[in-house]
């Protein structure tokens, strides 16, 4: 029986593949040298497409950076188990494990974060919006923990959220440094343990 010809991909499948390749190319370029000199044309060429492919799929440089940022911070949050304090401590672990397993993405995210801190006009509002949402999520979980008794009653939810983001970003920067620190698992274990101690009633 003759071999069947390969199934033709749908337009949607071709579009999704092109978007994945463009996103991967942009992420790699940003991780190497930041986003400030990044052009849509060079991203398209690095992805193996024509110069206009990025504009076609993402529309603008800002939309592309937003997509890189969103993709880099996509990680599976733990299920809400017995307590909010457990969820917070396990989220610290999940965040840092995501950083160590996705180095180009994590590097791109943190490169752009540094540029946002330096008042990049495109990145500053994107990161301000992203970070405010992350802090709200963490603060809400601290409140849940105060209610369920797993977090000390005198914890300030907003202050604790800022502290947790600072812990995560500071450790993440060190984990992607060159060379990275030794004993990464021990570092992540210590971050989770410190979080549990800070929340403990």
């Amino acid at each position: 029986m003759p071999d069947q010809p390969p199934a033709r991909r749908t337009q949607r499948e071709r579009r999704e593949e092109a978007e994945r390749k463009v996103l991967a190319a942009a992420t790699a370029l940003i991780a190497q040298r930041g986003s400030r000199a990044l052009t849509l044309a060079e991203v398209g060429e690095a992805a193996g497409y024509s110069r206009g492919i990025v504009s076609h799929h993402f529309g603008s440089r800002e939309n592309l950076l937003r997509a890189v940022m969103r993709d880099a911070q996509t990680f599976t949050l733990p299920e809400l188990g017995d307590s909010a304090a457990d969820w917070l401590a396990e989220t610290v672990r999940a965040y840092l494990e995501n950083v160590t397993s996705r180095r180009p993405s994590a590097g791109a995210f943190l490169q752009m974060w540094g540029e946002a801190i330096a008042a990049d006009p495109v990145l500053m509002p994107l990161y301000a919006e992203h970070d405010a949402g992350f802090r709200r999520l963490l603060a809400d979980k601290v409140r849940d923990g105060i209610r369920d008794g797993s977090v000390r009653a005198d914890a300030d939810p907003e202050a604790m959220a800022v502290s947790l983001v600072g812990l995560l970003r500071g450790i993440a920067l060190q984990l992607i440094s060159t060379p990275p620190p030794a004993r990464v698992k021990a570092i992540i274990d210590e971050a989770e343990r410190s979080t549990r101690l800070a929340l403990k009633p």
Side-chain angles (χ1 to χ4, degrees):
M1 188 172 182
D3 291 340
Q4 294 292 323
R8 293 184 66 184
R9 292 179 302 160
T10 65
Q11 184 176 356
R12 177 180 176 180
E13 288 170 336
R14 290 193 300 272
R15 184 180 69 245
E16 288 174 351
E17 180 185 22
E19 288 178 359
R20 282 194 303 272
K21 286 184 176 180
V22 167
L23 201 57
T27 299
L29 288 168
I30 293 168
Q32 290 167 12
R33 53 184 173 80
S35 72
R36 288 185 174 167
L38 189 75
T39 67
L40 300 187
E42 73 174 329
V43 172
E45 290 170 2
Y49 292 101
S50 65
R51 295 167 63 90
I53 192 75
V54 186
S55 295
H56 175 72
H57 286 284
F58 292 92
S60 68
R61 181 174 176 275
E62 180 177 347
N63 286 342
L64 176 63
L65 295 179
R66 187 189 298 273
V68 170
M69 190 177 89
R70 185 173 55 243
D71 179 68
Q73 280 297 281
T74 298
F75 66 100
T76 303
L77 290 169
E79 296 290 331
L80 185 56
D82 293 335
S83 72
D86 285 341
W87 184 92
L88 286 160
E90 289 162 13
T91 294
V92 165
R93 173 174 292 281
Y95 184 103
L96 295 174
E97 286 176 346
N98 179 64
V99 166
T100 58
S101 66
R102 303 182 68 210
R103 286 183 65 86
S105 293
F109 181 88
L110 293 168
Q111 280 268 19
M112 291 191 296
W113 179 54
E115 293 166 7
I117 291 171
D120 181 282
V122 172
L123 293 174
M124 189 167 62
L126 293 181
Y127 273 80
E129 176 188 346
H130 174 275
D131 287 355
F134 191 30
R135 288 193 302 270
R136 279 194 302 272
L137 172 65
L138 296 175
D140 287 345
K141 292 299 182 184
V142 171
R143 289 187 190 90
D144 291 345
I146 293 170
R147 283 192 291 270
D148 72 23
S150 64
V151 173
R152 54 189 171 81
D154 66 341
D156 180 305
E158 281 73 26
M160 183 62 74
V162 171
S163 177
L164 287 171
V165 172
L167 172 78
L168 292 171
R169 292 279 170 80
I171 294 175
L173 283 169
Q174 295 177 72
L175 291 178
I176 67 161
S177 63
T178 304
R183 304 190 64 209
V184 168
K185 182 182 182 302
I187 292 167
I188 295 174
D189 289 346
E190 189 58 43
E192 181 182 354
R193 187 181 306 115
S194 298
T195 302
R196 291 185 184 279
L197 288 172
L199 297 169
K200 189 174 180 180

